[in-house]
């Protein structure tokens, strides 16, 4: 994983709550220097009291600001259902500085499909093009996937969302990957072994590692590397 940018998502929701499009406009409203806001974005960390003040000033719920679940702008009351819209900015007319990322529920996948084309899209969220680029990501190659199950506990929790770089499918770079294994999409830590075998590791030690032998590689395809986690702080 290259980083947890939960703070970045909070910053995006702060902009949305105040009805502004960029950090310069936000800095004038909350009376913080643009450099301070830039550091929040760079470090992925926003002071909690800023979110508390924003909740008071805009009428959105603190839960929504911190997690994306609850009463946001234009909503009618809080809703803590975990199946509500995931984190990010739902906008009807995104500016050129934002890139659309399609978000998929891994359980809703058809299974046999080797790409995401034609799969049901849970929602489309918009992320800062500059921030994605800074992370070495091509926005056109990024999709979001909802994590299901507890096999990656400690790294990814059930219900988290993860941004996947579809252009990076090389297991020589050890990391967490989205794979298609015998028609099923799975998220595992991947290591390439001598001789071409793959070692699939669950970060939850209740699950045993799995070895994919070279002769069985026809049943496996790496769909992309998991790069950015979006989830609840616990």
């Amino acid at each position: 994983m290259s980083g947890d940018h939960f703070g970045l998502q909070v910053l995006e929701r702060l902009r949305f709550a105040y009805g502004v499009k960029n950090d310069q406009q936000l800095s004038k409203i909350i009376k913080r220097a643009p450099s301070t806001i830039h550091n929040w974005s760079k470090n992925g960390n926003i002071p909690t009291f800023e979110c508390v003040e924003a909740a008071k000033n805009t009428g959105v719920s603190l839960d929504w600001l911190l997690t994306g679940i609850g009463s946001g702008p234009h909503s009618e009351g809080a809703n803590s259902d975990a199946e509500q819209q995931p984190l990010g900015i739902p906008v009807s007319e995104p500016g050129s500085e934002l890139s659309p990322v399609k978000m998929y529920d891994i359980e809703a996948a058809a299974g046999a499909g080797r790409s995401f084309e034609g799969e049901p899209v849970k929602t489309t969220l918009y992320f800062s093009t500059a921030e994605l680029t800074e992370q070495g990501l091509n926005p056109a190659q990024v999709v979001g996937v909802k994590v299901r199950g507890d096999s990656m506990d400690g790294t990814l929790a059930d219900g988290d969302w993860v941004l996947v770089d579809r252009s990076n499918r090389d297991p020589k770079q050890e990391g967490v990957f989205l794979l298609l294994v015998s028609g099923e999409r799975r998220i595992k830590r991947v290591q390439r072994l001598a001789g071409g075998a793959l070692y699939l590791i669950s970060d939850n030690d209740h699950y045993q590692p799995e070895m994919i032998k070279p002769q069985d590689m026809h049943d496996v395809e790496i769909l992309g590397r998991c790069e950015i986690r979006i989830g609840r702080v616990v």
Side-chain angles (χ1 to χ4, degrees):
M1 300 284 288
S2 66
D4 181 345
H5 276 238
F6 180 80
L8 177 58
Q9 309 311 316
V10 175
L11 186 57
E12 289 177 340
R13 286 193 291 278
L14 277 175
R15 297 189 199 107
F16 188 58
Y18 281 111
V20 299
K21 294 183 178 180
N22 55 53
D23 291 344
Q24 287 73 24
Q25 294 172 330
L26 181 62
S27 71
K28 292 178 182 178
I29 291 178
I30 67 175
K31 296 181 172 55
R32 297 288 183 272
S35 59
T36 298
I37 297 175
H38 174 75
N39 286 334
W40 293 348
S41 176
K42 181 178 179 181
N43 299 329
N45 184 27
I46 296 176
T48 303
F49 72 84
E50 296 288 356
C51 297
V52 173
E53 286 301 310
K56 290 185 201 175
N57 295 335
T58 65
V60 302
S61 75
L62 186 59
D63 279 348
W64 181 83
L65 279 173
L66 293 175
T67 70
I69 300 171
S71 182
H74 316 303
S75 63
E76 297 180 0
N79 186 340
S80 60
D81 185 351
E83 294 298 324
Q84 283 292 305
Q85 179 150 327
L87 310 179
I89 305 178
V91 292
S92 56
E93 297 182 4
S96 59
E97 73 279 7
L98 298 177
S99 293
V101 174
K102 293 180 179 179
M103 311 294 286
Y104 299 87
D105 188 331
I106 197 170
E107 282 194 347
R114 292 183 177 268
S115 73
F116 285 90
E117 303 304 323
E119 297 288 9
V121 177
K122 182 80 172 179
T123 190
T124 299
L125 302 182
Y126 294 82
F127 294 84
S128 165
T129 301
E131 293 288 352
L132 291 177
T133 302
E134 276 188 19
Q135 295 301 309
L137 301 175
N138 176 357
Q141 293 295 322
V142 175
V143 296
V145 175
K146 190 168 190 176
V147 178
R148 294 292 190 170
D150 64 353
S151 68
M152 292 300 292
D153 270 3
T155 301
L156 297 170
D158 182 38
D160 282 351
W161 290 83
V162 62
L163 299 189
V164 178
D165 180 7
R166 294 186 295 172
S167 69
N168 189 346
R169 304 185 183 190
D170 186 359
K172 291 179 182 177
Q173 302 181 43
E174 291 187 9
V176 177
F177 288 84
L178 176 67
L179 307 100
L180 188 71
V181 182
S182 299
E184 178 186 5
R185 289 199 178 98
R186 299 162 65 184
I187 293 177
K188 298 292 178 184
R189 191 171 298 279
V190 177
Q191 294 179 358
R192 181 176 286 281
L193 304 178
L198 290 182
Y199 204 45
L200 309 185
I201 302 169
S202 299
D203 286 356
N204 183 340
D205 57 14
H206 287 92
Y207 293 82
Q208 294 298 313
E210 178 182 357
M211 181 182 293
I212 306 295
K213 298 178 181 179
Q215 60 266 32
D216 296 326
M217 288 298 295
H218 62 277
D219 287 331
V220 179
E221 182 175 353
I222 296 177
L223 302 178
R225 193 172 193 269
C226 299
E227 294 290 349
I228 296 176
R229 168 186 170 269
I230 306 170
R232 184 183 294 273
V233 173
V234 294

